[in-house]
Amino acid sequence: MEHFTAMPIFVAVVEAGSFSAAAERLGLTKSAVSKRVQQLEAGLNVRLLQRTTRSLSLTEAGERYYDRARAALALANEAEEAAAGLQGRPQGLLRVAAPMAFGRLHLSPLVAEFLRRYPDIQLDLAMDDRMVDLVEGGYDLAVRIGNLPDNRMVARRLAPCRVVVCASPAYLAAHGAPAHPAELVGHNCIHYSYYRGGASWVFSGPDGEIRVPPRGNYQVNNSEARRDALLAGLGICEMPTFIVGADLAAGRLVEVLSAYPLPAHAVHAVYPQRGLPAKARAFIDFLDEKLGGDAPPWDAGLTASPSAERDPI
């Protein structure tokens, strides 16, 4: 076990992408970090990293060692947190990243209750629709709705996320309701410019997948702005029900093309595989208590559509 103390240094180098960045994160000198990794390689009698003047990459042996070292450190961190949890409440700075609309509509209203429950936690909630790097940004966790391509992350599903095509009654009265996805070419489609699923809206039909590129005179990178445009009667749009659920229930917006469902997604809490601090676990458990389950609060009063969930997304 003499190499165990070098594991966190090696893992930090891999996750930071360089010796200098890892040294800054660990509070060590670059030479000290480099020396410890060299000692680790010498002790294991194998090269773990390929080094050039401009890049750093894992060898095949390095990939295998990294996966196991990361898992070992995660277990060690969980053991420490379990022991510490017996001695006191979750505490410290908790940095959380979340999408703008979901954060404002569904996380922000819960902050006061969470901090009253855990007064020793200082919450830093960063709301941004861009996909941030949790490790590089120093975040403890993120709430995400979308693809989860990073295998360094652990995901915990909180709730489903229905996506529907909808428009205002006024827009539909003026332009008619499409009966088939192909008819969207004749409508003003409001497009989300951060949409990670590609340039097309993807429907499921009796004959298989139907892709429709949205065409219209307005695109925007904020979903609440899309909702404003829908309510103003500007066009038609695919929207998550966590934004428009109340509008659908009240009749301010109307779902169309329900026979051709869009892929349903899910709301996840994601965090690095290196371990989950007690403060982060407390926040995830709190969100699960308030928002979790197959019938999230934003879908209250809505009729479920036959969409098939893609998980994780």
Side-chain angles (χ1 to χ4, degrees), residues 198-245:
S200 298
W201 296 352
V202 183
F203 298 85
S204 296
D207 298 322
E209 185 178 273
I210 305 169
R211 290 181 172 269
V212 178
R215 297 287 184 268
N217 63 1
Y218 183 46
Q219 68 174 8
V220 62
N221 64 353
N222 179 273
S223 289
E224 289 184 278
R226 290 193 297 159
R227 172 183 174 269
D228 290 341
L230 284 172
L231 293 173
L234 179 63
I236 194 167
C237 190
E238 46 84 39
M239 291 286 286
T241 57
F242 71 76
I243 294 177
V244 297

Side-chain angles (χ1 to χ4, degrees), residues 159-171:
C161 174
R162 282 181 57 198
V163 181
V164 300
V165 176
C166 57
S168 70
Y171 176 87

Side-chain angles (χ1 to χ4, degrees), residues 77-163:
N77 287 335
E78 288 179 8
E80 291 180 3
E81 292 292 345
L86 297 175
Q87 305 301 320
R89 296 165 61 86
Q91 58 184 302
L93 176 64
L94 175 63
R95 302 194 67 225
V96 178
M100 180 65 71
F102 189 87
R104 198 193 69 77
L105 294 173
H106 301 290
L107 298 186
S108 180
L110 298 175
V111 165
E113 181 179 352
F114 174 74
L115 292 178
R116 281 194 293 266
R117 186 180 299 186
Y118 298 102
D120 297 325
I121 291 178
Q122 297 85 48
L123 178 62
D124 179 356
L125 177 59
M127 293 186 285
D128 195 323
D129 286 338
R130 294 174 296 177
M131 185 75 76
V132 299
D133 186 309
L134 298 192
V135 175
E136 182 178 331
Y139 293 99
D140 295 288
L141 66 102
V143 174
R144 284 188 175 162
I145 307 157
N147 293 318
L148 304 176
D150 194 336
N151 61 10
R152 296 176 299 172
M153 299 296 120
V154 178
R156 176 171 164 183
R157 183 185 183 278
L158 297 174
C161 174
R162 282 181 57 198
V163 181

Side-chain angles (χ1 to χ4, degrees), residues 26 28 38 47 51 126 147 160 171 222-223 240 249 269-270 300 311:
L26 296 169
L28 301 173
Q38 289 174 3
R47 181 172 290 277
R51 307 163 176 83
N147 293 318
Y171 176 87
N222 179 273
S223 289
V270 302
D311 193 16

